[in-house]
C-alpha cells in the first residue's frame, strides 16, 4: 500500500507541480483532474479492501467466540474441569483478546488519508467552483438556456449524460448569492424547489432554499413575494430567527409603501408582477449584440455584399514556398476584409503545439491600458502560453508559414500565443490594437502597434467528437494603412458551450512592415 501511494504521489507531482488553481479557465488542465479522481477512486477501493479483510477477521473471531462461550457458559465448572480449557481461557484473555484489540484499533485508513491530504493541495479551490458556476450562468444567459435545461444536461452535441442534482442546483444558487447576483440566485433556487417538489432526494431542505430565495427577491425589489416566501419559510420552520426578523421588516416596509401611495392608486398598481425579473444591465454596452451573434443571430451579409466574396488559391505574392503548394483562401467578410485559410496546420503539428503549450498554460491576461501592466480579467476566461522558436522546430515552421502567407515579417511579431478555453470560456468584445488613449500599451516592445492578427483554430472539438474548423486560420489587419486603428475589427470569442477549444495567434507589429505594407495616402486607406 505504501509503495503504491508513493508511486501515485510521484506521478501527481509530475503532472500538477506547474498548475496553479484556476482549473476552470482551461479544459486542457481540467483533464488532469479526471485522471486524478480516477487514481483517488483506486486508492479508496484499496482502502476498502483492507477494511473488509480486517472486518472479515473480526467477524470470524466473533463467530468462533460466540460458539465457544455458548458451550462454556452452559457448564462453567464442568468446562474448566478440563485443564486444557482452563489454560486456553487464560491465554485468550491475556493474549488473544488484546491482539484483537490491536486489530480493531489498527488504522488502515492512514495511507489513503495521507495520499488524499497531499493531493488536496492540487485540487480546485473555492475560486474554481465559483468560476465554474459563473461559467454555467454565462452559458445560460448567452444561449438563453433555462436552469431546467441545464439541470437535465440537455445541451446540443453532447455525448455524455450529465445532470445536476438538487444539491448541485443549490450550490449554483448559493454561489450566485455570495457574489451578490440575486437574478441568478432566484433562477437557481426556484429550480431547486422544482426538483424537490418532484420528489428528488437531497440533503438540501426547502427551509434553506426559501431563506436564500426570499431575500434574493427582496433585493430585486419584489417585496410582496419576499413576504410570501418568508411566511412559507416560517410555516416550515417557526423557530427560524432570521426569517422572523425579516418578516417584521418586510411588513413594516410594505406598510410604509402603502402609506406613500396616492389615494387614487389601486392595490393592483402597487403590486409587482411576481416571479418576473429583468436581467441586470452590466458594464458591456453591446452585450445584447454580442450574445445574439454567439447564438448565430444578428448581422448578415446582403446578397450584394455576398457577391463580393470569393475563393482562390493564395501564393503569398508569389512567395517561392507557396508557388508549388498555395493555400486555399476564402473571403470571410468584406468590410473590414477578413480572409480564411484552410489546412494551415497539419494534425501532427496541432498535437505537437498543444503538447508543448500545455505545461506552460497560465491564466490569460490583458494589458491595463493605463499602466501597461498585465492583469487577469473576468471578461477573458482562458489559459494561454507563449511559445518561442527554440521550444520546438514546429513553432519555427508555423511562424515561417504565417510569414509566407501574410507577406509580413515575424521578426517584430509577438511570440506565438496558444490559448485553451475553460468552462464557458470566452473573450468579450475587444480590439487587438492599442487605441489613442492607450499609446503606452506596447511601448515596452519598441515595435509599434499591432498591425495585423493571424488566428489559428488549433482544435475545436465538440463533445460528439466532430472537429470544427481545425487547422484553419483567419487573418485581418487591425490598422488602416495610415496607422490609425480600424474600429470595425472589434471582435470576441463566444463562451464555449460544449467541447474543448484551442487557438493560437500571431500578432504582427508595425515596425519592419514599412515596405511590406506601405502607408496609404489618406487616413482611411
Amino acid at each position: 500500500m505504501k509503495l503504491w501511494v508513493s508511486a501515485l504521489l510521484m506521478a501527481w507531482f509530475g503532472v500538477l507541480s506547474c498548475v496553479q488553481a484556476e482549473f476552470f479557465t482551461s479544459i486542457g488542465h481540467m483533464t488532469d483532474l479526471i485522471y486524478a479522481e480516477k487514481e483517488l477512486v483506486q486508492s479508496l477501493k484499496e482502502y476498502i479492501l483492507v477494511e473488509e479483510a480486517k472486518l472479515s477477521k473480526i467477524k470470524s473471531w466473533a463467530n468462533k467466540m460466540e460458539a465457544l462461550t455458548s458451550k462454556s457458559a452452559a457448564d462453567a465448572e464442568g468446562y474448566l474441569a478440563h485443564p486444557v480449557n482452563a489454560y486456553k481461557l487464560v491465554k485468550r484473555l491475556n493474549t488473544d483478546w488484546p491482539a484483537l484489540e490491536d486489530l480493531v484499533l489498527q488504522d488502515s485508513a492512514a495511507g489513503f488519508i495521507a495520499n488524499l491530504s497531499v493531493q488536496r493541495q492540487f485540487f480546485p479551490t473555492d475560486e474554481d467552483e465559483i468560476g465554474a458556476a459563473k461559467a454555467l450562468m454565462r452559458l445560460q444567459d448567452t444561449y438563453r438556456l433555462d436552469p431546467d435545461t441545464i439541470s437535465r444536461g440537455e445541451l446540443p452535441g453532447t455525448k455524455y449524460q450529465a445532470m445536476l442534482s438538487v444539491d448541485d442546483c443549490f450550490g449554483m444558487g448559493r454561489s450566485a448569492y455570495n457574489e451578490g447576483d440575486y437574478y441568478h440566485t432566484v433562477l437557481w433556487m426556484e429550480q431547486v424547489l422544482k426538483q424537490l417538489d418532484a420528489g428528488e432526494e437531497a440533503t438540501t431542505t426547502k427551509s434553506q432554499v426559501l431563506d436564500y430565495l426570499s431575500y434574493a427577491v427582496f433585493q430585486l425589489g419584489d417585496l410582496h413575494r419576499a413576504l410570501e416566501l418568508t411566511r412559507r419559510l416560517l410555516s416550515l420552520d417557526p423557530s427560524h430567527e432570521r426569517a422572523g426578523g425579516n418578516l417584521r421588516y418586510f411588513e413594516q416596509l410594505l406598510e410604509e409603501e402603502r402609506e406613500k401611495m396616492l389615494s387614487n392608486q389601486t392595490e393592483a398598481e402597487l403590486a409587482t408582477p411576481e416571479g418576473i425579473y429583468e436581467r441586470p444591465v452590466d458594464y458591456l454596452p453591446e452585450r445584447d449584440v454580442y450574445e445574439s451573434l454567439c447564438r448565430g443571430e444578428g448581422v448578415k451579409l446582403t446578397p450584394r455584399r455576398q457577391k463580393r466574396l470569393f475563393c482562390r488559391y493564395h501564393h503569398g505574392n508569389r512567395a517561392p514556398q507557396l508557388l508549388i503548394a498555395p493555400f486555399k483562401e476564402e473571403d470571410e467578410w468584406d468590410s473590414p476584409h477578413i480572409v480564411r485559410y484552410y489546412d494551415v496546420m497539419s494534425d501532427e503539428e496541432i498535437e505537437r503545439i498543444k503538447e508543448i503549450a500545455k505545461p506552460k498554460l497560465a491564466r490569460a491576461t490583458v494589458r491595463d491600458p493605463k499602466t501597461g501592466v498585465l492583469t487577469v480579467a473576468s471578461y477573458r476566461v482562458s489559459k494561454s502560453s507563449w511559445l518561442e522558436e527554440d521550444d520546438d522546430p514546429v513553432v519555427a515552421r508555423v511562424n515561417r508559414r504565417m510569414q509566407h502567407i501574410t507577406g509580413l515579417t515575424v521578426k517584430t511579431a509577438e511570440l506565438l500565443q496558444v490559448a485553451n478555453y475553460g468552462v464557458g470560456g470566452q473573450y468579450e468584445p475587444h480590439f487587438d490594437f492599442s487605441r489613442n488613449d492607450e499609446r503606452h500599451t506596447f511601448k515596452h516592445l519598441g515595435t509599434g502597434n499591432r498591425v495585423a492578427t493571424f488566428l489559428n483554430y488549433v482544435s475545436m472539438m465538440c463533445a460528439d467528437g466532430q472537429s470544427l474548423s481545425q487547422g484553419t486560420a483567419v487573418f485581418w489587419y487591425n490598422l488602416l494603412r495610415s496607422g490609425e486603428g480600424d474600429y470595425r475589427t472589434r471582435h470576441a470569442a463566444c463562451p464555449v458551450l460544449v467541447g474543448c477549444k484551442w487557438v493560437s495567434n500571431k500578432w504582427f507589429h508595425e515596425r519592419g512592415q514599412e515596405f511590406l505594407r506601405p502607408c496609404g495616402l489618406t487616413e482611411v486607406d
Side-chain angles (χ1 to χ4, degrees), residues 312 314 327-330 332 339-344 405-406 454 457 469 471-475:
R312 65 189 71 82
H314 175 75
F327 282 94
K328 290 175 283 187
E329 181 186 73
E330 179 182 3
E332 194 76 19
V339 293
R340 180 182 296 274
Y341 297 102
Y342 291 88
D343 304 319
V344 174
I405 292 174
T406 62
F454 196 99
Y457 293 100
S469 306
T472 69
V474 291
F475 173 78

Side-chain angles (χ1 to χ4, degrees), residues 463-505:
D464 59 2
Q466 293 184 341
S467 176
L468 301 177
S469 306
Q470 181 167 305
T472 69
V474 291
F475 173 78
W476 68 86
Y477 282 103
N478 297 303
L479 305 180
L480 302 170
R481 286 184 176 274
S482 62
E484 292 296 319
D486 188 342
Y487 285 83
R488 299 170 301 172
T489 61
R490 189 163 173 83
H491 59 287
C494 294
V496 180
L497 178 59
V498 174
C500 186
K501 176 181 177 182
W502 289 79
V503 299
S504 72
N505 58 276

Side-chain angles (χ1 to χ4, degrees), residues 9-21 23 29 32 121-122 359:
L9 294 181
M10 289 177 63
W12 254 94
F13 279 125
V15 172
L16 295 177
S17 59
C18 61
V19 179
Q20 297 180 348
F23 283 99
H29 270 166
D32 294 334
Q121 63 185 306
F122 302 113

Side-chain angles (χ1 to χ4, degrees), residues 56-104:
S56 179
K57 290 179 182 179
I58 296 171
K59 185 176 180 180
S60 176
W61 172 263
N63 291 337
K64 178 181 177 182
M65 288 300 102
E66 182 181 30
L68 191 150
T69 55
S70 296
K71 180 179 179 181
S72 63
D75 182 11
E77 288 189 5
Y79 180 83
L80 292 174
H82 197 300
V84 173
N85 284 339
Y87 164 74
K88 291 182 69 174
L89 174 63
V90 172
K91 177 181 178 294
R92 281 198 305 273
L93 293 174
N94 182 60
T95 304
D96 296 348
W97 278 100
L100 179 70
E101 180 185 20
D102 291 341
L103 176 62
V104 172

Side-chain angles (χ1 to χ4, degrees), residues 65-292:
M65 288 300 102
E66 182 181 30
L68 191 150
T69 55
S70 296
K71 180 179 179 181
S72 63
D75 182 11
E77 288 189 5
Y79 180 83
L80 292 174
H82 197 300
V84 173
N85 284 339
Y87 164 74
K88 291 182 69 174
L89 174 63
V90 172
K91 177 181 178 294
R92 281 198 305 273
L93 293 174
N94 182 60
T95 304
D96 296 348
W97 278 100
L100 179 70
E101 180 185 20
D102 291 341
L103 176 62
V104 172
L105 293 176
Q106 190 179 84
D107 187 7
S108 52
F112 172 71
I113 294 301
N115 179 14
L116 181 61
S117 298
V118 171
Q119 293 191 37
R120 280 188 64 181
Q121 63 185 306
F122 302 113
F123 278 13
T125 62
D126 289 342
E127 180 186 358
D128 285 297
E129 184 173 347
I130 292 171
K134 284 183 175 180
L136 282 181
M137 296 174 205
R138 186 184 309 122
L139 297 175
Q140 174 184 352
D141 294 337
T142 303
Y143 300 105
R144 293 182 176 174
L145 305 171
D146 59 70
D148 192 52
T149 298
I150 297 176
S151 178
R152 294 197 307 269
E154 296 177 348
L155 303 180
T158 51
K159 179 180 180 181
Y160 299 99
Q161 183 71 19
M163 301 178 69
L164 294 177
S165 67
V166 166
D167 298 323
D168 293 332
C169 293
F170 182 73
M172 290 285 294
R174 186 170 52 191
S175 293
Y177 181 91
N178 291 338
E179 292 293 306
D181 180 0
Y182 301 112
Y183 170 75
H184 287 106
T185 301
V186 171
L187 293 178
W188 282 100
M189 289 303 175
E190 287 176 338
Q191 179 63 26
V192 176
L193 288 178
K194 180 178 179 180
Q195 291 181 215
L196 283 174
D197 289 339
E200 185 176 326
E201 293 184 3
T203 58
T204 302
T205 65
K206 283 190 177 182
S207 297
Q208 290 176 293
V209 180
L210 291 170
D211 190 16
Y212 282 94
L213 184 57
S214 59
Y215 190 74
V217 298
F218 167 69
Q219 288 293 327
L220 292 177
D222 193 345
L223 186 55
H224 291 78
R225 190 167 180 229
L227 189 62
E228 182 266 326
L229 290 169
T230 304
R231 286 172 178 159
R232 282 179 59 187
L233 170 55
L234 286 170
S235 69
L236 294 173
D237 185 2
S239 62
H240 200 294
E241 293 184 12
R242 183 168 56 252
N246 286 346
L247 180 65
R248 292 188 292 274
Y249 179 60
F250 294 159
E251 287 177 337
Q252 179 184 344
L253 288 179
L254 192 59
E255 186 60 33
E256 291 175 358
E257 229 181 68
R258 285 184 177 133
E259 290 175 358
K260 291 178 181 179
M261 301 302 292
L262 299 175
S263 58
N264 63 341
Q265 287 184 306
T266 65
E267 187 71 17
E269 290 173 321
L270 175 66
T272 303
E274 292 187 356
I276 302 175
Y277 309 108
E278 292 290 332
R279 180 179 165 195
V281 176
D282 66 6
Y283 56 87
L284 188 64
E286 61 215 300
R287 173 73 62 191
D288 290 342
V289 174
Y290 163 52
E291 292 183 351
S292 66

